[in-house]
Amino acid sequence: ATATVAASDLFEAIAVEAPKRINEFNPQEMANTVWAFATATVAAPDLFEAIAAEASTRLVDFNPQDMANTVWAFATATVAASDLFEAIAVEAPKRINEFNSQEMVNTVWAFACA
């Protein structure tokens, strides 16, 4: 689903505030945030940078869907995050048996497009 109401002020406010408080976000909140910005095609380089840095250090707390949605969002938004992708390339294989087929597909698609 996409927003039918213009929310540029909302996206801008979140893009400014969230990086300051990114350590308060849980893995699903980080994944959902970058997913929303990517889906809405709203550029937020500082936000994506903050999430990439935070997520890279907390991947053990991410479930497969969080990992898949996060890399999908970065690939969709065409935001480079080599440290994040490298960290997921190490973590995901350790837990690949936990991934469902959609999570595997979304993850490999993101790596192919990144």
Side-chain angles (χ1 to χ4, degrees):
T2 57
T4 57
V5 176
S8 59
D9 290 346
L10 172 64
F11 278 94
E12 178 61 26
I14 291 170
V16 169
E17 186 63 23
K20 300 173 191 173
R21 298 170 35 187
I22 204 63
N23 64 326
E24 299 171 19
F25 284 50
N26 68 39
Q28 183 179 1
E29 291 164 343
M30 286 187 264
N32 288 354
T33 300
V34 289
W35 179 91
F37 276 79
T39 300
T41 63
V42 175
D46 292 342
L47 173 64
F48 275 77
E49 182 179 327
I51 289 177
E54 186 71 18
S56 294
T57 66
R58 292 175 45 197
L59 285 179
V60 296
D61 299 326
F62 278 58
N63 66 35
Q65 184 177 6
D66 299 331
M67 282 190 260
N69 288 352
T70 300
V71 292
W72 178 92
F74 275 82
T76 298
T78 63
V79 174
S82 59
D83 289 346
L84 173 63
F85 276 73
E86 288 173 18
I88 289 178
V90 170
E91 184 64 27
K94 297 176 191 174
R95 297 171 28 203
I96 200 66
N97 63 322
E98 299 171 24
F99 282 64
N100 68 31
S101 59
Q102 187 67 56
E103 293 156 352
M104 284 190 271
V105 169
N106 288 353
T107 301
V108 77
W109 176 88
F111 273 80
C113 294

